[in-house]
Each structure stands twice: as C-alpha cells, then as structure tokens.
Amino acid sequence: GENVEQHPSTLSVQEGDSAVIKCTYSDSASNYFPWYKQELGKRPQLIIDIRSNVGEKKDQRIAVTLNKTAKHFSLHITETQPEDSAVYFCAATLNTGFQKLVFGTGTRLLVSP
Amino acid sequence: DVKVTQSSRYLVKRTGEKVFLECVQDMDHENMFWYRQDPGLGLRLIYFSYDVKMKEKGDIPEGYSVSREKKERFSLILESASTNQTSMYLCASITGGAAEKLFFGSGTQLSVL
C-alpha cells in the first residue's frame, strides 16, 4: 500500500520569507496529490492539489511541484504571512474513482511577524 | 454550503465503555471516512465506506467498528474504550468518481480515562 513521508515536522519562518514542505510517496501508481491546511482548532481544508500529468501548479502565493521519477512532491509558500501559520498535510492516492487518501504526518508552520 | 457534522466536539468516557461517534453529511456523498489524528502521526485511516452497509478496514481498524445504515450517516464504534484511544477523531466524506475535495467534520476530541 501507499506510504507518505513528510518533512519537516516543524518549520519556523519570518513573515515575508518562503516556506517549503516536502513529501515522498511509495506507490508509483499514485496519481493525485492534495495538500490540506489545518488551522488551530479547525478542520483540515484542501488548499491545492496536483495530478500526475502535471509538473507544477500555482495558486497565488502557493505552488505545488511534482517529480514522478523521484516520487516526491513539495508545497511552496511565498511571501508568508502570519495567517499561513497552521499544520499542513500532504496526501497521495490512486484516483481510480474511489479515493482512499494516505496522509503524511503533518508540518507545523509558524510564521513570525 | 456543504456540511459534515460530528455530533460531539468533546467526549469524556471511562475505560471499558462502549462509545459511539456519529457523523452526518448533507452532500449525498457515496464515500465516508473515519480518521484519527494524533500529534506527530498525522491523519490515520480507521475505516471507510463507499456505500450503504458497505465498509472497509483502513490502516488502524483494531478496537473499532463502523455502521452505515443510511447514506448520510457513518458511525464509529469503540466496543470497549481504552486509554490509547484518546485522540481527535475526524469524519470526512467525498463524492464518488474522480472527485477532488475531501470534506471534513470539525472533529471529536475523545478522552478515555
């Protein structure tokens, strides 16, 4: 089955800096890779995702890159703001029509003013 | 607005008690999931269901069972609660097909004393 590793477990940056979170997956058949953000005391919410037929996807200050050969994908946040502080989870799945997401262990991002 | 509702935000139970965690979604989703969230371990899948009366074990099903008698409701049952089941439990749902977005409930923080 799929296994997803996520690093780092915690990340502290200054406001305005960039943050990068990395994940690796084990199942080469996985083809869908979402990222979820969980603010303190709230439910996880999807912030961006990428499919295996795409190498990079951007949405304003957030981008995700995928390297299928190396089986890793990364979340990039530019110009970080205090409201970006949260726990971020990567996930992977074989999107065959029934989704069983396997999540990474999470990264706690702290953006200091 | 889409909703996944978990019946309790906080629960305190005693060792050996039978515990029911309820989850209801109003989006007519086929697939429903129960995850457990622990610090440093991320989101781990306990059980999932892709149709009424259908269930599949996730990665950590031991000590748990589930019930899905109606499409909108997915219950997690702890047959005999133990202290190592103290955790945050998150329910989620997603539509069938090549869906993209997992909708989470707000979670139930269970403490077993």
Side-chain angles (χ1 to χ4, degrees):
Chain A
E2 178 64 275
N3 182 51
V4 177
E5 294 189 359
Q6 182 172 349
H7 300 280
S9 57
T10 59
L11 181 58
S12 295
V13 299
Q14 292 293 122
E15 183 177 0
D17 287 350
S18 294
V20 180
I21 303 170
K22 298 181 179 181
C23 290
T24 60
Y25 61 99
S26 61
D27 188 349
S28 57
S30 287
N31 59 3
Y32 176 64
F33 308 92
W35 286 87
Y36 284 79
K37 175 184 180 182
Q38 186 178 29
E39 297 177 9
L40 188 63
K42 297 189 176 181
R43 69 194 75 191
Q45 292 193 310
L46 179 71
I47 55 171
I48 195 168
D49 56 12
I50 192 168
R51 299 187 182 279
S52 60
N53 59 348
V54 176
E56 184 177 3
K57 184 177 179 180
K58 287 185 179 181
D59 183 4
Q60 299 182 338
R61 296 185 297 107
I62 294 173
V64 57
T65 58
L66 172 65
N67 183 327
K68 287 189 293 182
T69 303
K71 290 190 286 187
H72 66 70
F73 56 112
S74 300
L75 179 71
H76 304 255
I77 306 174
T78 59
E79 301 173 22
T80 54
Q81 301 169 2
E83 52 264 38
D84 294 328
S85 296
V87 178
Y88 292 82
F89 294 98
C90 63
T93 190
L94 176 59
N95 193 353
T96 59
F98 173 64
Q99 288 201 353
K100 180 189 167 185
L101 282 172
V102 177
F103 284 88
T105 51
T107 297
R108 182 173 298 279
L109 174 64
L110 176 62
V111 181
S112 303
Chain B
D1 198 12
V2 297
K3 277 191 176 177
V4 179
T5 303
Q6 294 183 231
S7 54
S8 303
R9 187 73 177 94
Y10 299 97
L11 272 180
V12 180
K13 297 293 181 180
R14 295 205 176 274
T15 301
E17 278 192 77
K18 190 170 186 176
V19 181
F20 292 86
L21 302 183
E22 305 287 346
C23 176
V24 177
Q25 51 95 1
D26 65 357
M27 297 165 284
D28 201 34
H29 284 170
E30 288 83 2
N31 305 324
M32 297 187 73
F33 307 81
W34 275 105
Y35 286 91
R36 170 175 172 162
Q37 182 175 12
D38 299 288
L41 297 178
L43 299 167
R44 294 180 292 167
L45 183 63
I46 305 171
Y47 265 97
F48 59 99
S49 168
Y50 51 89
D51 202 353
V52 175
K53 297 191 183 296
M54 304 301 289
K55 60 184 180 184
E56 292 284 344
K57 292 181 180 179
D59 300 317
I60 52 166
E62 297 78 18
Y64 304 94
S65 62
V66 290
S67 172
R68 192 157 181 211
E69 295 297 318
K70 293 184 178 181
K71 190 176 185 180
E72 66 270 19
R73 186 180 298 271
F74 191 35
S75 303
L76 180 69
I77 304 157
L78 286 66
E79 296 291 343
S80 178
S82 63
T83 54
N84 61 12
Q85 292 178 309
T86 291
S87 186
M88 171 65 79
Y89 291 87
L90 287 164
C91 174
S93 73
I94 198 165
T95 191
E100 299 180 341
K101 190 174 182 179
L102 199 63
F103 292 91
F104 283 92
S106 55
T108 296
Q109 179 63 52
L110 173 66
S111 297
V112 183
L113 306 178

